[in-house]
Amino acid sequence: MDNEVLLSLDNVAVELGGALRVAQASFKLQAGEIASVVGANGAGKTTLLRAIAGDFMRKHEISGEITFYGHPLHALLPRQRALRMAVLAQQNTLGFPFLVREVIALGRAPHDTGAVNDNKIVEHCAEQFDVRHLLGRIYTELSGGERQRVHLARVFAQLAAPGEAADARLLLLDEPMNALDYKHQQQVAAAIAGIAEHNVAVLQVMHDINLATQYSTRVLALLNGKLHSDGDVANFMQAHILNAVFDIDARLMQHPDSGRAMLA
Amino acid sequence: MSRARPLSSTALAAIGSAALLFALLWAISTGAVSLGLGQIKAALFAPGTTASAPLGASEIVTHAGDIKLAEVIVWQLRLPRVLLAACVGALLALGGAIMQGLFRNPLADPSLIGVTAGSIAGASAVIVLGDATGLTFNAGNDTAQHVLATLPLVSLGAFAGGLVAAWLVYRLATDANGTSVSTMLLAGIALTALAGSFGSLLEFFADNTMLRRISIWRMGGLEGASYTGVIIAASCLALMLFALPYYSRALNLMLLGESEARHLGVNVEKLKWALVLLVALATGISVALAGAIAFIGLVVPHIVRLLVGPDHRQLLPLCALVGATLLVLADALARSVIAPAELPVGVLTAMLGAPFFISLLRQRGQYGF
């Protein structure tokens, strides 16, 4: 099961408003992997993630083939996708006064697992992201970081599987550490590592290179919409790759505990 | 939880039902001729029977006359009117609540963003073009009957006009990133102006009777209430209340954003069409039957949301209930403040609603826009 390919992209290109945002993207992802997508501003990270999320469906926008658990992505109904794929967007614009509990429970919408199970899942996910004490609060009154954690809890609730033998699932995160302080960044990283062990593949857009490399098993680096490098962290953390991807003069140092390479 | 939500939805449902009942009774009793509860009860439940009580000859005449008068007032004038007010109020509140869900914005209201104007234009077009082409015109027959006969067709025109307007505003104001409030309101201004100029164009072709009927819609009023109108409004309301549970959960997800709703399993394109159709139906039918009554669709969902929260599974039926109550009360008030003359109810709701809208605009930062 673990070695089965969950997601596969074959020569995917995305063209928006006449500009080619992603080109020739081909890679495969399997459950258990935590892959970070990195790159300079405008390199096409979010576009790549949204293409996999199914946000571009028009013929003139997207070409190539995206296969999700053995099916062409465009042939799956929204509900079929929602049962196996959860997406955290970069920005969330909920302007209505839901309670935090209700927002997290929205993640259970595709499932028919019953209110009792769903309540347990909501509380568990709230606990994971340290928003349990906020469950009875009104979402619109929260701070940016608190909102981000509520949405993280919502997408984790969407992928929660009460049964033992859950199908392989995909978690897409666009800048999950947005607006979070260091303590909560670590909590989120732990939660991501935890869910990856339960038959979930994680693909996350990361801004901060040190965060990305510290908490992932694989790095996909985009340069001008093209996949420049794809491999494990050690492979990515080389000065010539960093220099090319970010157009900088990279200085590397070693992490005092793990010995991993870090960008100074 | 109790601090965040002042009322449970069950409590609001109970209070709302009691208030609606009270409002209906008060609205039937009030007006140019005041009726007591006993008279209303007699007229409603035992028409024509009470007059046979053994009384002196002169008393029989006056008493029977009273009963007859009360019966006529209740059955011919006030009952259709309060029922229509209730149905239209419910439709307006539902239309507003659905539109706010669709636009993900509590400021979206059919009357503010041009849907009502589109409906008026559609209704006017049917009146003028229908009469001009002989489709709905019987020579020299501009009676109440004629109005009734054309009501379904005019409703259809209002529905079509509202549909075009709602779709246009939605396409203009909303993209993948969400709704732009300013574009939405500006598109509403543009559409209202466009519909207005279309109306002026129609006036070139209209004769006096057509003009008079068009102007009734512009003001908004329930004095033309008839049972035909009540049946149209009630069946439309029933259809909506029947359809809405199917869409409530998806509407909740839509509040997160279009993409987010899709990621949570909603067929967004289908949902948007269904919601635009429902909004156009609610707005078009209420415009065709009662003219432009502004702000009910803005004020009612806002109040209900403050009380029980934004979950559409409870919000929508409660909006229908509160909307019905509010319009029945407003209409009764409009009939009694300067009795025996009447204020158009649309004027009254606008006087109450416009300051409310302005106060919402002032706190719009709180909604994240």
Side-chain angles (χ1 to χ4, degrees):
Chain A
M1 190 72 177
D2 266 5
N3 297 324
E4 250 174 56
V5 172
L6 176 64
L7 173 77
S8 122
L9 274 73
D10 186 18
N11 207 13
V12 171
V14 182
E15 193 180 327
L16 296 176
L20 197 63
R21 302 292 180 84
V22 170
Q24 300 160 19
S26 300
F27 64 90
K28 294 181 186 351
L29 198 67
Q30 57 200 38
E33 282 191 286
I34 303 173
S36 286
V37 180
V38 301
N41 297 145
K45 306 185 290 287
T46 296
T47 308
L48 177 66
L49 206 73
R50 293 187 57 199
I52 297 167
D55 286 355
F56 311 119
M57 282 294 171
R58 299 196 184 94
K59 283 260 183 296
H60 62 87
E61 286 177 339
I62 190 161
S63 62
E65 193 69 45
I66 301 179
T67 312
F68 184 45
Y69 71 95
H71 304 272
L73 186 70
H74 60 82
L76 294 168
L77 295 173
R79 171 115 197 279
Q80 291 175 308
R81 265 183 265 155
L83 287 170
R84 283 165 158 265
M85 182 199 290
V87 186
L88 178 78
Q90 196 173 4
Q91 272 153 0
N92 286 288
T93 54
L94 179 60
F96 285 76
F98 278 109
L99 298 180
V100 168
R101 175 188 298 283
E102 294 168 331
V103 178
I104 301 175
L106 290 177
R108 295 307 295 167
H111 302 273
D112 293 314
T113 39
V116 177
N117 277 326
D118 287 355
N119 268 337
K120 274 188 210 150
I121 291 169
V122 166
E123 304 221 331
H124 173 73
C125 293
E127 187 80 57
Q128 257 186 313
F129 293 99
D130 193 24
V131 289
R132 193 171 179 148
H133 60 291
L134 302 175
L135 281 174
R137 288 269 305 277
I138 290 185
Y139 168 82
T140 42
E141 292 169 359
L142 302 182
S143 76
E146 288 169 334
R147 291 181 188 203
Q148 177 76 358
R149 274 144 57 206
V150 170
H151 285 293
L152 279 161
R154 170 173 65 77
V155 295
F156 270 64
Q158 188 182 347
L159 288 188
E164 274 300 303
D167 294 323
R169 287 147 294 151
L170 176 64
L171 179 58
L172 300 175
L173 304 169
D174 198 345
E175 309 242 8
M177 308 297 185
N178 241 354
L180 297 186
D181 55 38
Y182 292 110
K183 179 183 128 194
H184 289 113
Q185 285 183 359
Q186 288 183 354
Q187 276 183 357
V188 170
I192 291 171
I195 201 170
E197 284 171 12
H198 290 91
N199 212 8
V200 171
V202 181
L203 188 67
Q204 54 184 353
V205 169
M206 294 291 265
H207 211 71
D208 185 320
I209 289 308
N210 289 330
L211 261 177
T213 52
Q214 198 179 342
Y215 297 120
S216 37
T217 60
R218 179 175 168 186
V219 179
L220 303 168
L222 288 179
L223 178 61
N224 298 327
K226 288 184 183 162
L227 211 50
H228 183 265
S229 81
D230 174 7
D232 62 16
V233 173
N235 172 66
F236 171 69
M237 287 304 270
Q238 302 179 59
H240 71 275
I241 292 184
L242 288 166
N243 289 349
V245 170
F246 293 103
D247 190 21
I248 50 171
D249 184 12
R251 295 291 163 89
L252 292 169
M253 54 184 249
Q254 286 212 321
H255 190 280
D257 300 335
S258 66
R260 278 181 161 181
M262 287 178 70
L263 192 60
Chain B
M1 193 102 89
S2 55
R3 196 171 46 84
R5 299 279 160 79
L7 275 183
S8 78
S9 46
T10 333
L12 184 59
I15 296 170
S17 307
L20 179 60
L21 197 69
F22 165 79
L24 286 171
L25 282 175
W26 182 58
I28 292 176
S29 76
T30 195
V33 176
S34 287
L35 299 175
L37 264 185
Q39 283 169 300
I40 295 173
K41 198 178 145 201
L44 278 180
F45 297 113
T49 55
T50 12
S52 60
L55 297 163
S58 62
E59 276 177 296
I60 286 175
V61 172
T62 49
H63 191 69
D66 267 4
I67 293 286
K68 193 108 184 43
L69 184 63
E71 258 179 59
V72 169
I73 290 175
V74 169
W75 281 101
Q76 307 285 319
L77 295 173
R78 295 208 185 142
L79 195 62
R81 183 164 182 165
V82 297
L83 288 179
L84 186 67
C87 290
V88 167
L91 283 174
L92 288 169
L94 278 177
I98 297 170
M99 181 138 261
Q100 286 147 28
L102 176 68
F103 278 84
R104 275 161 279 151
N105 191 302
L107 293 177
D109 173 66
S111 62
L112 286 173
I113 62 175
V115 180
T116 304
S119 287
I120 293 174
S124 312
V126 168
I127 294 168
V128 173
L129 299 179
D131 281 7
T133 55
L135 197 63
T136 61
F137 188 63
N138 306 315
N141 184 16
D142 186 55
T143 58
Q145 265 181 339
H146 174 69
V147 174
L148 282 189
T150 57
L151 205 50
L153 209 59
V154 172
S155 303
L156 206 64
F159 168 64
L163 189 63
V164 171
W167 188 245
L168 268 176
V169 175
Y170 190 79
R171 287 301 300 270
L172 282 171
T174 306
D175 60 21
N177 300 320
T179 299
S180 152
V181 183
S182 37
T183 313
M184 175 182 83
L185 295 175
L186 290 172
I189 292 173
L191 272 182
T192 307
L194 191 67
S197 64
F198 180 67
S200 308
L201 193 68
L202 284 174
E203 283 170 15
F204 281 112
F205 303 102
D207 58 29
N208 278 340
T209 51
M210 294 173 188
L211 284 177
R212 203 170 57 83
R213 278 168 57 197
I214 293 172
S215 73
I216 290 173
W217 274 289
R218 295 250 167 90
M219 282 208 287
L222 292 155
E223 61 270 11
S226 66
Y227 283 109
T228 315
V230 171
I231 289 168
I232 294 176
S235 35
C236 171
L237 179 63
L239 178 78
M240 292 191 69
L241 289 175
F242 183 75
L244 283 174
Y246 184 74
Y247 297 113
S248 302
R249 206 162 181 190
L251 258 173
N252 286 345
L253 300 175
M254 271 297 271
L255 297 186
L256 286 169
E258 250 181 61
S259 307
E260 281 70 18
R262 199 181 299 115
H263 301 154
L264 283 159
V266 177
N267 188 334
V268 172
E269 292 306 315
K270 249 167 97 176
L271 177 74
K272 284 194 295 195
W273 264 111
L275 296 178
V276 165
L277 274 170
L278 286 173
V279 167
L281 189 67
T283 310
I285 296 298
S286 60
V287 162
L289 298 174
I293 298 175
F295 293 111
I296 296 276
L298 182 77
V299 173
V300 171
H302 190 81
I303 293 171
V304 177
R305 234 179 260 121
L306 277 181
L307 293 174
V308 303
D311 187 335
H312 286 89
R313 286 171 293 184
Q314 290 106 43
L315 179 76
L316 294 175
L318 287 172
C319 277
L321 188 64
V322 175
T325 311
L326 202 67
L327 194 59
V328 169
L329 285 177
D331 181 51
L333 207 62
R335 281 189 281 129
S336 52
V337 269
I338 53 165
E342 289 184 7
L343 274 175
V345 69
V347 172
L348 196 77
T349 59
M351 281 195 299
L352 296 174
F356 187 88
F357 174 61
I358 291 166
S359 79
L360 276 186
L361 271 184
R362 283 179 57 94
Q363 350 154 356
R364 77 194 162 109
Q366 162 190 336
Y367 297 107
F369 301 106

